[in-house]
Amino acid sequence: MPLCPAGFSSASLKSDLSKAMSQDGASQFQEVIRQELELSVKKELEKILTTASSHEFQHTKKDLDGFRNLFHRFLQEKGPSVDWGKIQRPPEDSIQPYEKIKARGLPDNISSVLNKLVVVKLNGGLGTSMGCKGPKSLIGVRNENTFLDLTVQQIEHLNKTYNTDVPLVLMNSFNTDEDTKKILQKYNHCRVKIYTFNQSRYPRINKESLLPIAKDVSYSGENTEAWYPPGHGDIYASFYNSGLLDTFIGEGKEYIFVSNIDNLGATVDLYILNHLMNPPNGKRCEFVMEVTNKTRADVKGGTLTQYEGKLRLVEIAQVPKAHVDEFKSVSKFKIFNTNNLWVSLAAVKRLQEQNAIDMEIIVNPKTLDGGLNVIQLETAVGAAIKSFENSLGINVPRSRFLPVKTTSDLLLVMSNLYSLEAGSLTMSEKREFPTVPLVKLGSSFTKVQDYLRRFESIPDMLELDHLTVSGDVTFGKNVSLKGTVIIIANHGDRIDIPPGAVLENKIVSGNLRILDH
């Protein structure tokens, strides 16, 4: 069956469908087109499935069925997924201050509470944005420790201190699974049981035809760019399908603590765990989202709102264009989602079996190396909050949100702003301000290897407020940066900051090569 009836262009098909839908009497025509498209996609997926080996078949079928469900929902959606008029500020008691949670203290039996916990780290991302090959979690971030090293150290410290058995689970993607498993052998003698499972593998679709670009199940050679991991919202289905969810419930585990592996602030918090296990009103929360106060740097972060009587995460992509400035307002929407989440295992099982976890679809457009425009359909783990009962936001200190997305972030966590103990970074007591400096390193620093080459040693940043560096700049040993420092090397020029230099409230520009100091 042809994809489109004669005279109906496949270009921008979905927008045409939406227009047709809005025209009186055209909805029937629109429905025919939609059904034809679904049938064409079904046939393409069946062709792909025939290329799977018997060993891959069941797993691939689950992935492709999951993709078909997501694609079906994508075609059904019309207009923005939120009605801006229905968005309200959350009720006062639905976002609790961390101080109030902490003030309750800890019970004597904190070990038995800890034994009900599983730590899950989202480990599907590659380090490509920082110029690295392989899993991002294997990038060295502090004293040659990687993100994964620090995570294992944190949990081992918990298990040794409290004589507990908190396991670590890594949600890998097909991009990170093989490399991660190789490295896990080095932790065999650590006091942490480590498990892995893979998130789904979905086919990218051609933006024009809306058909999968994959021709078979392989993801090498011509097919390298044909597949993608569909966002961390996939955790619920993949965790359930892996069998680990049932295993942990069978072992008496009750909650998972989920966070991004590149968020170095996302450590296990005993006060939040105690609040979950021993709620003051006797009614347990099924889902807790850690939020923190917005700064000007976080205006695009997803925020918690009250929507149709439930807590709901609203992301900037869901906001109608006319209201984007209002959404970014720090005064109206004061908090954002850190993606540190505490979720009831029994609730995940119940909702998964009822097919009742509802997450908005994120349409992520990409241009492949050959110039082909594709889209990938994704979901976000925090968006499921509205499907759980008795959900809660906890407004945590900013120190629990310390993501390393760029080399500018890496500079902060490698510096003397932080001290490292048992895998956890804490702000130095010598820092007089509670916030970290604003650091913007230019394109010459984007790749980790270039960044490392440009610093003979990491500068003293205890008294730094703001650093901007642009162009060909290098730093000698034992440099000290204070106040606001702006260093701009003009095109074709180079600036070498000499060893031992102290820059305080300075603008350095042009060409500076001082070899002796």
Side-chain angles (χ1 to χ4, degrees), residues 55-64 198-201:
H55 157 72
E56 298 170 299
F57 187 85
Q58 278 310 116
H59 190 76
T60 305
K61 186 175 187 306
K62 269 184 184 169
D63 281 355
L64 295 181
N198 268 17
Q199 66 184 115
S200 304
R201 180 164 73 100

Side-chain angles (χ1 to χ4, degrees), residues 85-335:
K86 292 183 180 177
I87 287 179
Q88 299 171 304
R89 282 190 183 176
E92 284 297 311
D93 60 348
S94 66
I95 299 181
Q96 297 274 340
Y98 177 77
E99 292 69 30
K100 187 176 173 185
I101 306 285
K102 191 174 181 180
R104 293 184 60 209
L106 295 173
D108 294 335
N109 66 335
I110 194 64
S111 296
S112 62
V113 172
L114 261 173
N115 273 327
K116 304 287 187 187
L117 182 69
V118 176
V119 175
V120 181
K121 291 288 182 180
L122 305 173
N123 186 47
L126 294 168
T128 44
S129 63
M130 293 165 74
C132 295
K133 290 180 179 174
K136 186 174 182 184
S137 56
L138 306 185
I139 295 174
V141 284
R142 180 83 188 212
N143 302 355
E144 297 184 5
N145 288 297
T146 65
F147 291 103
L148 188 53
D149 291 336
L150 296 176
T151 301
V152 172
Q153 287 169 28
Q154 288 164 18
I155 299 173
E156 183 175 45
H157 178 68
L158 269 182
N159 286 336
K160 284 180 173 175
T161 304
Y162 297 99
N163 194 25
T164 51
D165 185 22
V166 177
L168 169 63
V169 180
L170 301 172
M171 180 169 88
N172 297 337
S173 68
F174 66 91
N175 289 319
T176 62
D177 187 53
E178 197 177 323
D179 288 341
T180 301
K181 280 181 175 165
K182 280 180 195 163
I183 216 84
L184 289 182
Q185 294 167 13
K186 78 182 221 185
Y187 306 116
N188 284 346
H189 302 295
C190 294
R191 190 170 162 176
V192 185
K193 286 181 188 160
I194 304 177
Y195 302 81
T196 67
F197 69 96
N198 268 17
Q199 66 184 115
S200 304
R201 180 164 73 100
Y202 284 1
R204 284 175 166 150
I205 52 182
N206 184 310
K207 192 177 178 183
E208 297 300 321
S209 68
L210 294 186
L211 292 177
I213 63 170
K215 298 302 172 210
D216 57 55
V217 294
S218 72
Y219 45 97
S220 56
E222 287 182 11
N223 252 10
T224 306
E225 294 188 305
W227 301 90
Y228 72 99
H232 41 55
D234 185 58
I235 185 173
Y236 305 106
S238 291
F239 193 37
Y240 177 85
N241 290 337
S242 72
L244 283 174
L245 179 68
D246 282 337
T247 299
F248 289 130
I249 289 174
E251 290 176 1
K253 305 293 186 189
E254 295 185 28
Y255 281 93
I256 49 174
F257 171 49
V258 183
S259 61
N260 298 339
I261 199 155
D262 64 6
N263 178 6
L264 295 177
T267 56
V268 171
D269 187 280
L270 299 178
Y271 299 100
I272 294 176
L273 180 61
N274 180 50
H275 186 83
L276 285 168
M277 297 295 296
N278 303 302
N281 61 1
K283 190 180 177 192
R284 282 201 179 178
C285 297
E286 290 188 345
F287 195 111
V288 162
M289 176 181 287
E290 292 184 35
V291 296
T292 194
N293 291 342
K294 269 188 183 183
T295 67
R296 296 282 171 204
D298 314 306
V299 291
K300 292 183 179 178
T303 193
L304 271 187
T305 62
Q306 176 89 344
Y307 193 90
E308 295 178 338
K310 298 204 86 167
L311 274 184
R312 177 159 175 168
L313 178 68
V314 175
E315 303 278 4
I316 194 163
Q318 297 165 252
V319 178
K321 281 197 175 111
H323 297 282
V324 165
D325 286 344
E326 190 181 344
F327 175 83
K328 287 181 178 179
S329 154
V330 179
S331 54
K332 179 162 185 181
F333 298 105
K334 297 180 189 301
I335 49 97

Side-chain angles (χ1 to χ4, degrees), residues 236 245 249 254-255 285-287 343-354 357 387-389:
Y236 305 106
L245 179 68
I249 289 174
E254 295 185 28
Y255 281 93
C285 297
E286 290 188 345
F287 195 111
V343 191
S344 156
L345 286 166
V348 173
K349 183 175 169 70
R350 180 190 80 236
L351 291 169
Q352 196 56 41
E353 289 177 347
Q354 294 170 354
I357 296 183
S387 303
F388 290 81
E389 294 301 318

Side-chain angles (χ1 to χ4, degrees), residues 354-397:
Q354 294 170 354
N355 194 25
I357 296 183
D358 179 23
M359 293 170 286
E360 290 76 27
I361 295 172
I362 300 161
V363 180
N364 190 352
K366 298 263 181 187
T367 302
L368 303 185
D369 287 346
L372 181 67
N373 290 321
V374 296
I375 54 176
Q376 42 192 64
L377 306 178
E378 303 176 6
T379 55
V381 57
I385 188 170
K386 62 179 181 291
S387 303
F388 290 81
E389 294 301 318
N390 200 28
S391 297
L392 181 70
I394 297 180
N395 191 342
V396 296

